Every structure is written in C-alpha cells, then in structure tokens.
C-alpha cells in the first residue's frame, strides 16, 4: 500500500449492517451485511472505480464513507486540507468517529453526485437556489456574491446563466445531472462520490457527462470514487478498479492490470461480459450459475464459492485473505496465484485484442 502522505482517503475494515427485526416486539433476528469489512484507499487526484452486481453494497459503501448512513464498524481516514492548521498540509480525520460539528466542516471536502437526476433535485426550488443552498448552509459566500458564483458553476458544467431562474422539470436528464454536478462543486470539495451518475442517462449523454467529469477533475483537482455496474464506463474513467461482491471487495488493481489479468473468478466473469465494439472479435461469455446469496445469511468461507467453477473444498471452509500480489494488485481468492485468469475469448484472437 502506498504511503499515507499520498493518500486522500483510506478505509479500513468498514462494515455496515442493517438489523432485521421480526415478531411483535421487533427483536433483532439477524443483519443484512450490506458492507462486510472492506479495505481501500484513494490517492489524491485519481478516480477509483467501484463495480459489482446490483445489490452488492456499492452505493451503501459510498454513503457510509460520507456518513450519510452510520457505519457499524471500521475506520474512514480522510486527509482534509480545509481543516488543516498553520504549517499543516492536511489534517487526518476519522470520519467514522467525527463529532457533528467536525462532520459539518468535513462536508465541504466530501460531496456526492446521486444516481437519479430526477429525484435528487428539489422540484420546488430554482436551479440557482439548489446550487446556492450549500453556500448558505456553510456560510461560504455573501449574498451579493452567490449569484455570480452560481453563474460560474453553471458555465463550468455547460449550462447557461439564465438557467438559474428555471425549475428542474424544465430540463432533460443530462442537464439535471449537470445541475447535480454543479451543486457538488459549490463548496470546492476534494473528494466526490459519483454514485452511478450516468446509469439513468442515454448512451450519447453518458459520454458527454463522463467527459465533463474528466474535464472538471483536471480543472478543480478533484478525486472521484466512481460507483457503477457498467465495466466499460469504469474502464474509460478510472485509474484503478475495486470489484465488490456481497459486501466485500474481492479484487482491487490498476485498470489495465485488472482487465488484462484478473485474479478473481468473479472479476473474470464480469470482464468477459464487457461488449467489444468489433463484429469480428468474439468474446466467450462466462455465465455464473445460481443466484447471488442473501446478505442476511452469506455462505461460509469464500462468499463466491457456490457460483465459482474453480472452487475447491477449502473455499467453502475458510475465508480467503486479502492478499497483495504486487504492483498494488489485491485479491481474495485461495487459488489466485495458481489460476492466472484471463478474459476468455474465442480462438484466433490475442488476449490484448490486437
């Protein structure tokens, strides 16, 4: 793992369990293990992609990191520049244990872009009021300065100044997401959690929003945690990718490494499902058998073993360790070193797609 001096966010053993209550007395009968002990780090200025099937805990992980939902266990170490004192480059804060006053200050450094651009904007507020609301809550700008600042943000995301007086229902889905991005930028954050920001948009609009996010990252020095289920989108925008399955991170590596040399069978299956825009380049899909187990009662040992065609007896007994295989490539698989997995493609084509 890289030195902490280069790391903006480091998550250690993060868990989020939701209690399952039954009976008249509503007693706790179990827990939904939405996030079950994840470890990751994000470097300043990079984009870390977080991928997995629907229901694997990606969104819950993002919201728990921001403490929009309270973590059950673990550390969320964030290096804030705005909270740094004289002579300090940044101040380390455990977000999971931060008191409410400190947490409010941290909100200026940690923002989120929501998945649904329709429900995430207040339909009774104008666009100008929506973008200015964070400035008012945190008392960042004086009233006479807010209007010009909001116009600058609208211009930065490709909207016009006269859009300030309009309401969300007057905009398309792509334009609404741009409004959400402008709102996230208002407090000049260091980290933005992008919670599937393009999944509700048309493909052509997805490309525009992705290009916008990349442009803003360079302009404002932003760091992204990009949550998605579309690996082709994640491959385009991310420097590193973390793969999540049933509340756990099963693999984390640099993007090119992960797509060229996956070390977990689940990653291999996901990569094989990525469409290749070449009619002469066939890819053999790996179809996983069975359904995703319940997070209330996950399997023993490796959570993925009931669906894994490489599984051995040890996989059902012991949970695999989170191992560093070199070059910042982490995986949790008993057979990761011996399988040397590759995306499975039809014969006659090289692995690198050349």
């Amino acid at each position: 793992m890289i030195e902490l001096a280069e790391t903006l966010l480091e998550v250690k053993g993060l868990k989020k369990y939701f209690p399952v209550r039954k009976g008249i007395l509503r007693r706790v009968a179990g827990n939904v293990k939405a996030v079950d002990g994840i470890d990751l780090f994000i470097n300043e200025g990079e984009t870390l992609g977080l991928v997995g099937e629907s229901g694997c805990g990606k969104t819950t992980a993002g919201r728990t990191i921001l403490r929009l939902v309270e973590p059950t266990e673990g550390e969320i170490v964030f290096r804030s520049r705005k909270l740094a004192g004289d002579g300090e480059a940044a101040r380390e804060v455990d977000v999971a244990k931060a008191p409410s006053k400190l947490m409010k200050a941290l909100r200026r450094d940690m923002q989120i872009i929501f998945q649904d651009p329709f429900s995430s904007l207040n339909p009774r507020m104008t666009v100008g009021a929506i973008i200015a609301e964070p400035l008012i809550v945190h008392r960042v700008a004086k009233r006479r300065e807010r209007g010009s600042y909001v116009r600058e943000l609208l211009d930065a995301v490709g909207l016009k100044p006269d859009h300030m007086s309009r309401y969300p229902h007057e905009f398309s889905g792509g334009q609404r997401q741009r409004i959400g991005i402008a709102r996230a930028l208002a407090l000049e954050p260091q980290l933005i959690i992008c919670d599937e920001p393009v999944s509700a948009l048309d493909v052509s609009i997805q490309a525009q929003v992705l290009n916008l996010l990349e442009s803003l990252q360079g302009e404002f020095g932003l760091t992204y945690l990009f949550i998605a289920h579309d690996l082709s989108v994640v491959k385009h925008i991310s420097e590193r990718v973390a793969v999540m399955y049933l509340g756990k991170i099963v693999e984390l590596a640099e993007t090119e490494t992960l797509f060229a040399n996956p070390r977990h069978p689940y990653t291999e299956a996901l990569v094989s499902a990525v469409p290749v825009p070449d009619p002469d380049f066939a890819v053999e899909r790996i179809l996983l058998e069975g359904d995703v187990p319940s997070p209330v009662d996950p399997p023993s040992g490796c959570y993925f073993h009931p669906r894994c065609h490489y599984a051995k007896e040890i996989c059902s007994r012991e949970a695999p360790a989170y191992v560093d295989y070199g070059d910042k490539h982490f995986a949790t698989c008993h057979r990761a070193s011996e399988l040397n997995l590759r995306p499975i493609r039809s014969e006659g084509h090289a692995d690198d797609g050349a």
Side-chain angles (χ1 to χ4, degrees):
M1 191 172 290
I2 64 173
E3 295 180 5
L4 193 60
E6 301 175 4
T7 304
L8 178 66
L9 178 76
E10 188 170 16
V11 175
K12 305 175 185 177
L14 184 64
K15 296 182 180 181
K16 178 56 188 178
Y17 294 173
F18 295 96
V20 177
R21 300 181 183 275
K22 294 183 178 180
I24 298 175
L25 299 178
R26 309 300 295 163
R27 291 176 176 167
V28 177
N31 291 289
V32 176
K33 298 178 180 179
V35 179
D36 195 15
I38 66 171
D39 298 283
L40 59 83
F41 62 92
I42 308 177
N43 302 328
E44 289 192 59
E46 81 162 340
T47 300
L48 174 67
L50 183 61
V51 302
E53 294 171 289
S54 296
C56 72
K58 305 184 301 293
T59 293
T60 302
R63 296 190 178 209
T64 305
I65 288 171
L66 292 179
R67 253 183 80 179
L68 296 179
V69 293
E70 290 293 326
T72 302
E73 188 180 309
E75 294 181 50
I76 308 165
V77 181
F78 182 77
R79 301 180 68 251
S80 171
R81 288 196 299 266
K82 291 188 176 71
L83 298 179
D86 294 337
E88 288 183 293
R91 176 183 170 189
E92 290 185 10
V93 180
D94 186 352
V95 177
K97 299 177 182 177
S100 57
K101 186 175 181 180
L102 179 58
M103 198 64 231
K104 182 178 179 181
L106 280 170
R107 299 289 182 208
R108 293 180 58 185
D109 271 338
M110 307 170 72
Q111 289 291 308
I112 185 170
I113 300 170
F114 293 99
Q115 175 179 359
D116 187 357
F118 298 93
S119 63
S120 61
L121 303 177
N122 190 332
R124 299 184 180 182
M125 296 174 67
T126 63
V127 169
I130 289 170
I131 298 174
E133 187 176 24
L135 306 175
I136 297 170
V137 171
H138 290 270
R139 300 178 182 177
V140 172
K142 297 179 181 179
R143 179 175 295 182
R144 62 178 177 271
E145 300 171 344
R146 289 174 198 152
S148 60
Y149 186 49
V150 169
R151 282 190 286 271
E152 289 177 9
L153 289 170
L154 286 172
D155 180 66
V157 299
L159 296 176
K160 298 178 180 179
D162 60 4
H163 288 158
M164 284 180 61
S165 59
R166 299 185 186 180
Y167 289 85
H169 72 270
E170 300 178 65
F171 295 89
S172 67
Q175 288 175 318
R176 292 190 198 194
Q177 197 60 290
R178 290 173 185 265
I179 295 167
I181 293 171
R183 177 177 59 187
L185 291 173
L187 295 173
E188 299 180 354
Q190 292 174 253
L191 173 69
I192 296 182
I193 307 287
C194 303
D195 183 14
E196 304 207 33
V198 298
S199 63
L201 307 177
D202 293 339
V203 174
S204 60
I205 305 302
Q206 286 184 12
Q208 294 177 21
V209 173
L210 289 174
N211 291 335
L212 173 63
L213 289 172
E214 289 185 314
S215 174
L216 292 172
Q217 184 173 35
E219 183 178 351
F220 292 95
L222 300 170
T223 302
Y224 294 142
L225 174 61
F226 193 92
I227 300 169
H229 62 267
D230 188 337
L231 265 74
S232 58
V233 170
V234 170
K235 184 178 182 181
H236 171 76
I237 200 171
S238 304
E239 281 84 31
R240 291 186 301 126
V241 178
V243 180
M244 200 165 180
Y245 182 79
L246 208 64
K248 292 182 177 290
I249 290 180
V250 296
E251 186 163 4
L252 189 154
E254 293 182 356
T255 303
E256 293 301 323
T257 301
L258 183 129
F259 278 81
N261 183 24
R263 285 192 173 271
H264 196 282
Y266 180 60
T267 308
E268 181 191 37
L270 292 180
V271 171
S272 77
V274 177
V276 177
D278 184 349
D280 298 322
F281 191 86
V283 177
E284 183 180 340
R285 286 284 307 275
I286 299 174
L287 299 178
L288 298 177
E289 297 179 358
D291 298 322
V292 179
S294 170
V296 178
D297 185 23
S300 60
C302 173
Y303 284 4
F304 186 63
H305 86 264
R307 308 176 71 194
C308 179
H309 51 280
Y310 299 113
K312 287 188 173 181
E313 194 270 334
I314 190 175
C315 300
S316 62
R317 287 190 291 104
E318 298 180 14
Y322 192 57
V323 178
D324 183 357
Y325 290 93
D327 296 326
K328 296 179 284 188
H329 193 163
F330 301 84
T332 59
C333 178
H334 289 296
R335 306 190 64 192
S337 59
E338 63 180 272
L339 291 176
N340 194 26
L341 304 176
R342 292 287 195 281
I344 294 180
R345 297 188 172 126
S346 64
E347 295 182 1
H349 296 285
D351 281 340
D352 60 4

